Amino acid sequence: SSQLTPFLYNIKAKKIVRFHGEWDLWEESAGGYAALRADVVKSIDMAVFISNKGLNYFKHKYPGASVKTTTCYLGTTDHGISRRSDDGVFRLLSCSSVIPIKRVPLIFESLCAIESMTIEWTHIGDGSDLNKLKQLIQRNKSNIRVQLTGSMSNQDVMSFYRHNRIDAFINVSSTEGLPVTLMEAISFDVPIIATDVGGTSEIVNSETGILLSSNPSSQEIAKALLEIQKRNLNPKAFWVRNFNADINYPAFISEICNL
């Protein structure tokens, strides 16, 4: 820290840090300690956050900081619309690493609590919990079909949205910043179900889907899956107003230029 501080202060250019949240901001996710954070805060000219929750968290942690703060949402590009199912099958999509904080096996446990409809669940991604997930799926019920695609490029994920019917997207992570996967889903007009962690509540609302508690039970998730089919939602319109990259990134650049 003593060696880094003079270096930070002696940089003559304007210094801007963009905080996302999951690991670079929430100190709880880093074991309660963020190395050199105080030095960084003292030396920068602007702290930019991808969520209002992140900004408020920062202000609470550093109430005396003189740094300029602002929220600039991330965004995604428009790749079209995904169609909904019309054959009586409920098609659910999730996309994340299969690691403990993403709690992907919980999605399958939730599906097992539903008997009143045929469900087709596709998960994109892999990771350390993949074998655990595969073991769970071995006790699959007849009304549930599961497809594990493994990792896919973002281009292939966008193609999947365009060429497959999707009725809802789900994310049950225990920690998040502001998930780009949710922005991508609503850009295709797909309703979303997600846990109330990080800045997720700034995407999931009565217009886009259903916000779960931060640590939901399988029964709570199952109830949301049944309920979301009944909602009259308009995710695409919310995306256009809030998470369109063609609007958000020029606004971010303008914010930097005006510093």
Side-chain angles (χ1 to χ4, degrees), residues 50-68:
I50 66 166
S51 70
N52 289 321
K53 183 169 183 179
L55 185 149
N56 293 331
Y57 176 92
F58 180 89
K59 286 185 174 180
H60 174 74
K61 285 287 185 179
Y62 303 98
S66 59
V67 58
K68 179 180 179 180

Side-chain angles (χ1 to χ4, degrees), residues 101-221:
I101 63 170
K102 298 300 181 181
R103 300 189 291 203
V104 178
L106 179 59
I107 299 174
F108 180 75
E109 293 171 5
S110 304
L111 299 181
C112 290
I114 300 174
E115 298 181 354
S116 58
M117 63 181 179
T118 301
I119 303 168
E120 185 177 285
W121 171 43
T122 299
H123 180 77
I124 299 172
D126 58 23
S128 60
D129 268 1
L130 188 60
N131 287 334
K132 175 183 177 181
L133 180 60
K134 288 179 176 178
Q135 290 173 2
L136 281 176
I137 292 171
Q138 289 178 0
R139 58 181 176 87
N140 202 357
K141 297 167 62 177
S142 60
N143 66 313
I144 303 171
R145 300 197 294 264
V146 179
Q147 178 185 12
L148 303 177
T149 70
S151 295
M152 294 171 60
S153 67
N154 185 258
Q155 181 179 357
D156 288 341
V157 173
M158 298 302 99
S159 178
F160 185 93
Y161 271 107
R162 284 194 300 270
H163 297 108
N164 292 273
R165 296 183 183 272
I166 306 171
D167 299 301
F169 182 92
I170 187 167
N171 180 330
V172 295
S173 293
S174 60
T175 181
E176 286 287 359
L178 195 68
V180 172
T181 53
L182 297 184
M183 300 176 201
E184 290 172 340
I186 62 174
S187 78
F188 282 95
D189 204 37
V190 174
I192 49 180
I193 298 170
T195 42
D196 186 9
V197 295
T200 297
S201 62
E202 294 170 46
I203 299 180
V204 188
N205 54 45
S206 60
E207 192 173 356
T208 61
I210 296 177
L211 188 66
L212 302 166
S213 64
S214 60
N215 188 25
S217 65
S218 57
Q219 290 77 18
E220 179 185 349
I221 298 170

Side-chain angles (χ1 to χ4, degrees), residues 55-117:
L55 185 149
N56 293 331
Y57 176 92
F58 180 89
K59 286 185 174 180
H60 174 74
K61 285 287 185 179
Y62 303 98
S66 59
V67 58
K68 179 180 179 180
T69 58
T70 186
T71 298
C72 292
Y73 283 141
L74 301 176
T76 59
T77 54
D78 193 347
H79 293 279
I81 296 288
S82 183
R83 297 173 297 164
R84 309 282 172 85
S85 299
D86 58 3
D87 58 357
V89 177
F90 180 78
R91 291 179 170 85
L92 180 67
L93 177 66
S94 54
C95 180
S96 72
S97 298
V98 189
I99 57 178
I101 63 170
K102 298 300 181 181
R103 300 189 291 203
V104 178
L106 179 59
I107 299 174
F108 180 75
E109 293 171 5
S110 304
L111 299 181
C112 290
I114 300 174
E115 298 181 354
S116 58
M117 63 181 179

